[in-house]
Amino acid sequence: MRIVGNGSDLLVADEGLRCVVVQILDNLSSVHVEGNFVRAQAGATNEAVAYAAYENGLAGFEFASGIPGTIGGAAIMNAGAYDGEFSQVCACVTCVTPEGRIVEVPREEAEWSYRHSMFDAARYVVVAATLELTPADPADIRARMDELTAKREAKQPIDMPSAGSTFKRPEGHFAAALIDQAGLKGLSIGGAQVSTKHTGFVVNAGDATSADVQALIAEVQ
């Protein structure tokens, strides 16, 4: 069995998957705000949670307003952008263990690092997360969200299909800068292409197969 949220930023093998795929987007997506805390089920999108926080005058999750995907995925990979990371605002994560027990994992035990947590290795299924945010003027929060949206639209190929930012950041460097310096901007294999707008993205420029994308990633690496 594989659990997915919105299904965004996934690269599925051309031959498909020999398993049951459970999508939790529609049936596990409630968001509740109480005081400075936002309790979001794992299928709630990052955008929905960011807007709920904004509407209740809570700051700290603006960085995630444009990140595709859901809270479950954000918890597992410690999603981040524009100097913000999930680990900075999450108080605890509710999970189901492989044995079927429901457990609360506090921030201190999540083992978050760059695009990593303990949930994947432990085979925990994330079902909810509680964010602890900071009261602020809703106008300021919305202005920050609009600013980040404008940056994404200007710098990222969000008008083309992709699996998001493709390459892990090498320590002390930026992947896109290294790829650009290597002269790989626009490099194509089949329908897959290194984006000409942001070389950290591999985009589907036509009828790319999963094999095309994987081959291009390997070539860039």
Side-chain angles (χ1 to χ4, degrees), residues 129-202:
T130 300
L131 310 183
E132 185 175 6
L133 304 178
T134 306
D137 185 338
D140 292 338
I141 298 171
R142 183 55 191 262
R144 176 61 174 162
M145 291 167 67
D146 290 344
E147 175 192 354
L148 296 182
T149 296
K151 284 185 177 181
R152 283 191 175 89
E153 291 176 345
K155 296 181 179 180
Q156 297 180 7
I158 59 176
D159 58 328
M160 300 181 73
S162 77
S165 183
T166 305
F167 301 96
K168 186 174 181 178
R169 182 186 302 166
E171 189 172 346
H173 299 277
F174 291 99
L178 295 177
I179 296 165
D180 205 13
Q181 291 164 19
L184 301 178
K185 179 184 289 187
L187 178 67
S188 297
I189 292 180
Q193 181 188 61
V194 175
S195 171
T196 57
K197 191 171 187 178
H198 190 312
T199 50
F201 287 70
V202 171

